[in-house]
Amino acid sequence: MRPNLIERIAHKYAVGLEHGQRVKSGDFISLQPRHAMTHDNTGAVMSKFKSIGASRVLNPVQPVFTLDHDVQNMSAANTAKYAAIAQFARTHGVDFYGAGQGIGHQIMVEQGYAFPLSLAVASDSHSNMYGGVGCLGTPIVRTDAAAIWATGRTWWQVPPVAKVHLLGTLPKGCSGKDVIVALCGLMNKDEVLNHAIEFTGPGAASLSIDERLTVANMTTEWGALAGVFPVDDVTLSFVESRIKTLGPAHPRYNLQSLSDLEKEVQALASESNEEAHYAKHISFNLSTLSPFLSGPNSVKVATPLAQLESRSIQIHKAYLLSCTNARQSDIKAAADIFRGAPVGQRSVFPGVEFYIAPASVAVQQDAESAGDWQVLLDAGAKPLPAGCGPCIGLGQGLLKDGEVGVSATNRNFKGRMGSRSAEAYLASPAVVAASALLGRIASPEAVGADPAVYHAGLKAQLESHSKPEFSVTISAAPVSATKNKSDKSTATNVKTTIEGFPERHVGEIVFCGTDNLDTDGIYPGAFTYQDDIQPAEMAKIAMRNYDPSFTSLIQKNDILASGFNFGTGSSREQAATCLLYAGVPLILAGSLSETYKRNAINNGLLCLEAPTLIQDLYATFGRAGKQQDGAKNTVRTGWMCEIEYGTGAMLVKKADGSIVGEYVLPVVGKAAQELIVVGGLEKWVKKQIEV
């Protein structure tokens, strides 16, 4: 079975593999990413870098610093922070892009740091966007970024891969934004949570690079860790266009890099037609799509534009900005709405504020040359500097109490763009512009149309509307990864453990039978910023908001088992370390928040996914809080678990010795073993520096 695209790129950038090892989903591997981007959080990474004893950046070409989040903040404190980051970049020879030059993700693509068939990471969740140009982009946490600066490496557990096969072509009036808004809202049951997505099919090939970037960007909101499009003629033409724009001497976009890429694409095309393994197969017919909006206040709610338009929802603010939809084609789409309005009606609706910001300075320059930027200014749009701004609730133009906004950004969580009592919708640039012009959520077709005729047509649309065509199929695990009641695992490459890492673990399963056990339940927010709490006290606090009796029940060598999406919520590291201090050496969950898993392993706490085991625990012990089932929040199950770490084999027995079942866990690869043995990533980095 040939590797899928995600596995192939991960293998290309993996280091320390065993001879002949093939990287597969489930593997824990060490990665040497081509580039690692940090933005305003570079200051926090600098502090982490210094605290682990590092004094020099191992490979100055690898990091990229882009200041983009709080660029409107001219306070002395923020100015000093930005200056310190700039000085650090100069000292270590790191590429630096200052405030106002553009959003980091856009710069990564424009300047070729996110290059097709390469791997780039960022300390930001929207690094998925790099997949629009066929680059495997995935997020890391700040400790990972500091480790990359110091050692050039980080670790990754290769996620399950979902194949999203796009059929057809986009109908008139639809855009890449409509594609991903529909995917997020119509498939909103965590179908791709913690998966990497590989887009395929004629529909994918029909999308422009800008449309692909938009779709890939918001695979984050769909729950994925990456969303990668194929490298095809559209991608190669994009690279050629960047070479023409930047000149042949550019360090990343140049004739040699294009030639190398073409050869790699040809090599991929000549390989066997044998099908790769995918955890899920999703089919989506673009031809059946209509314009959609997200919200209000949730990307998991997607509503056809025609339905919302029929409700005459008045708006107060409109936004054309962010790394999702503020490229030249997006600005042109918005400008064309105003150009197409009747003479004398080409202005922003009275009482509506329309904010625009380019994804980068280069984008604004192109939009100005095309005349699109001036059209929007003439219409009354309010320009903001290239940066994140209102998308993350910073700077001018935030939503106030009771206001309604429509935005071309990627997130509309309650309170993200301002007041928690406001309502935020997400839409394509054309719909945002039409809404700004008409003062209500509106279709571009409504601009300049006779109201009576248009509403009659709208009524007909509503009567004939049907949902887009899609399907989801879950694949069987490869034969080599199944064993009796198996948890899907293809990580069978490494069958040994390193010195200091246990070959096996035996312990009783303690079950916290609930899904979505968040970090506040594990470690209360009231203690998060009390930096003087000692480990023994942190241990007593563990699980306090979930079950105050937890710490009195836990014993040495116990294995904590819990439901799906364990560790969701904030990125507080104490939610991992408090359990480690309480004596928990291992967590088994139906699924794990990726951020929680990274924080846990980075601090020396092993976490593995065991969905079949969790389902069996639910079937036997019920769910926490359902008193009618006699379930407790925390249960000492009496089930003894015997795990062989080198092979992933897990045998579970009842107290009387009878077998519950045999399961297969992801094999803990060398990259994760090293972190557990030394006590976490910071200690591992210090060890590497000493060597």
Side-chain angles (χ1 to χ4, degrees):
M1 182 174 287
R2 68 176 178 85
N4 56 50
L5 183 59
I6 306 301
E7 293 168 336
R8 185 183 302 279
I9 297 175
H11 186 278
K12 180 179 174 182
Y13 287 88
V15 293
L17 296 178
E18 301 293 325
H19 178 70
Q21 180 180 349
R22 199 195 94 188
V23 170
K24 296 182 286 185
S25 291
D27 287 359
F28 286 90
I29 59 174
S30 289
L31 281 178
Q32 193 169 42
R34 180 169 176 169
H35 291 289
M37 188 270 281
T38 54
H39 44 66
D40 292 35
N41 57 20
T42 303
V45 179
M46 286 161 51
S47 298
K48 182 74 70 173
F49 180 76
K50 294 171 184 175
S51 72
I52 59 181
S55 59
R56 74 180 185 93
V57 174
L58 180 69
N59 178 10
V61 174
Q62 194 176 28
V64 184
F65 298 168
T66 63
L67 302 183
D68 60 6
H69 272 50
D70 203 12
V71 298
Q72 298 178 46
N73 183 355
M74 300 302 174
S75 68
N78 197 56
T79 300
K81 181 177 80 170
Y82 280 5
I85 294 171
Q87 181 58 51
F88 186 93
R90 286 192 294 270
T91 299
H92 294 275
V94 173
D95 285 0
F96 172 80
Y97 296 85
Q101 288 185 259
I103 301 172
H105 300 307
Q106 178 69 16
I107 287 172
M108 289 287 284
V109 172
E110 278 184 359
Q111 295 296 325
Y113 298 106
F115 196 82
L117 298 181
S118 74
L119 189 149
V121 298
S123 186
D124 187 277
S125 60
H126 287 105
S127 49
N128 292 30
M129 189 182 100
Y130 313 152
V133 293
C135 169
L136 175 52
T138 195
I140 56 173
V141 296
R142 296 172 185 182
T143 303
D144 297 318
I148 291 171
W149 294 2
T151 70
R153 293 168 52 186
T154 186
W155 65 273
W156 199 43
Q157 185 180 18
V158 184
V161 181
K163 179 179 179 179
V164 177
H165 194 69
L166 300 179
L167 300 168
T169 57
L170 288 175
K172 181 182 178 182
C174 288
S175 69
K177 187 59 163 283
D178 298 297
V179 175
I180 191 60
V181 164
L183 289 172
C184 289
L186 299 180
M187 283 175 263
N188 58 8
K189 305 294 188 226
D190 296 336
E191 286 88 346
V192 296
L193 181 66
N194 291 337
H195 285 60
I197 295 171
E198 183 178 331
F199 291 98
T200 66
S206 72
L207 298 177
S208 69
I209 286 294
D210 283 1
E211 288 169 331
R212 296 179 189 192
L213 290 169
T214 296
V215 173
N217 181 288
M218 282 190 64
T219 57
T220 301
E221 280 63 47
W222 200 13
L225 300 175
V228 183
F229 278 83
V231 177
D232 55 14
D233 289 343
V234 175
T235 319
L236 295 174
S237 294
F238 170 76
V239 174
E240 290 175 349
S241 71
R242 295 308 298 157
I243 294 171
K244 291 178 182 177
T245 299
L246 299 170
H250 192 269
R252 290 165 297 278
Y253 284 128
N254 53 60
L255 294 177
Q256 184 60 56
S257 65
L258 174 60
S259 175
D260 292 343
L261 177 61
E262 289 173 333
K263 291 175 183 176
E264 192 170 0
V265 171
Q266 290 170 1
L268 290 176
S270 65
E271 287 189 357
S272 167
N273 290 326
E274 182 184 12
E275 178 66 12
H277 174 72
Y278 298 94
K280 293 180 180 176
H281 291 256
I282 295 174
S283 175
F284 189 84
N285 191 339
L286 299 181
S287 299
T288 64
L289 187 64
S290 64
F292 269 77
L293 279 81
S294 287
N297 299 343
S298 174
V299 294
K300 290 192 173 186
V301 177
T303 306
L305 170 60
Q307 288 187 23
L308 292 177
E309 196 170 15
S310 69
R311 302 173 194 171
S312 296
I313 300 172
Q314 304 300 303
I315 69 165
H316 303 86
K317 291 184 172 73
Y319 305 90
L320 177 60
L321 42 85
S322 82
C323 55
T324 314
N325 276 126
R327 284 170 278 280
Q328 185 184 1
S329 63
D330 302 314
I331 295 169
K332 181 182 186 304
D336 283 347
I337 298 300
F338 286 92
R339 286 192 182 102
V343 176
Q345 300 178 29
R346 296 174 180 172
S347 299
V348 174
F349 194 81
V352 172
E353 297 174 15
F354 181 26
Y355 292 92
I356 60 173
S360 69
V361 167
V363 166
Q364 182 170 336
Q365 290 170 345
D366 289 342
E368 287 174 342
S369 296
D372 299 324
W373 192 256
Q374 192 60 47
V375 167
L376 297 178
L377 294 181
D378 291 344
K382 299 176 181 291
L384 297 174
C388 302
C391 178
I392 50 168
L394 293 172
Q396 300 177 47
L398 304 188
L399 289 171
K400 298 177 181 177
D401 292 349
E403 289 189 335
V404 175
V406 60
S407 177
T409 55
N410 47 38
R411 286 181 176 162
N412 58 347
F413 307 148
K414 184 181 286 291
R416 177 178 170 86
M417 297 183 69
S419 170
R420 288 183 59 81
S421 70
E423 291 188 343
Y425 293 85
L426 304 181
S428 69
V431 170
V432 168
S435 302
L437 192 151
L438 295 176
R440 54 180 171 78
I441 291 178
S443 167
E445 295 178 1
V447 176
D450 178 271
V453 174
Y454 182 76
H455 284 291
L458 185 61
K459 183 179 179 181
Q461 284 185 50
L462 292 172
E463 292 173 350
S464 64
H465 182 269
S466 59
K467 283 187 176 181
E469 296 175 3
F470 66 89
S471 65
V472 181
T473 304
I474 299 176
S475 304
V479 175
S480 62
T482 59
K483 182 178 179 183
N484 195 13
K485 287 184 176 182
S486 73
D487 290 302
K488 299 181 179 68
S489 171
T490 60
T492 54
N493 294 307
V494 182
K495 297 185 181 297
T496 58
T497 55
I498 66 173
E499 183 178 352
F501 190 85
E503 293 185 359
R504 67 196 306 265
H505 181 84
V506 178
E508 181 179 348
I509 295 175
V510 176
F511 185 44
C512 295
T514 188
D515 294 340
N516 302 307
L517 181 46
D518 62 27
T519 50
D520 197 60
I522 301 168
Y523 192 83
F527 299 97
T528 300
Y529 297 103
Q530 296 183 29
D531 297 332
D532 57 348
I533 299 179
Q534 298 302 305
E537 288 301 310
M538 290 179 67
K540 295 177 183 178
I541 295 168
M543 293 286 194
R544 180 173 293 182
N545 281 354
Y546 169 72
D547 183 357
S549 69
F550 175 83
T551 53
S552 66
L553 295 171
I554 205 77
Q555 297 176 14
K556 186 178 180 180
N557 289 328
D558 282 345
I559 297 170
L560 172 60
S562 191
F564 293 81
N565 204 21
F566 181 85
T568 187
S570 75
S571 60
R572 66 191 69 160
E573 292 187 358
Q574 300 98 317
T577 54
C578 72
L579 292 173
L580 192 65
Y581 298 148
V584 175
L586 171 65
I587 296 173
L588 298 178
S591 62
L592 292 152
S593 156
E594 185 66 15
T595 300
Y596 185 88
K597 180 174 70 177
R598 293 205 71 84
N599 279 332
I601 294 178
N602 281 349
N603 282 282
L605 174 61
L606 187 59
C607 299
L608 299 171
E609 294 187 350
T612 309
L613 171 65
I614 299 306
Q615 296 288 14
D616 290 348
L617 286 164
Y618 273 140
T620 303
F621 298 100
R623 293 180 178 268
K626 291 193 174 182
Q627 299 304 320
Q628 67 270 26
D629 297 332
K632 299 178 181 178
N633 282 0
T634 306
V635 180
R636 294 199 64 84
T637 64
W639 289 11
M640 295 301 295
C641 186
E642 303 173 10
I643 299 172
E644 299 291 340
Y645 282 125
T647 62
M650 178 171 64
L651 177 66
V652 179
K653 299 178 181 179
K654 294 182 180 179
D656 62 7
S658 61
I659 295 177
V660 175
E662 297 178 47
Y663 306 83
V664 177
L665 294 173
V667 171
V668 183
K670 181 180 177 182
Q673 290 182 28
E674 289 178 342
L675 300 184
I676 302 301
V677 168
V678 300
L681 185 59
E682 290 189 27
K683 292 180 180 178
W684 178 85
V685 171
K686 289 181 180 180
K687 185 177 179 181
Q688 298 301 308
I689 294 173
E690 291 170 0
V691 172

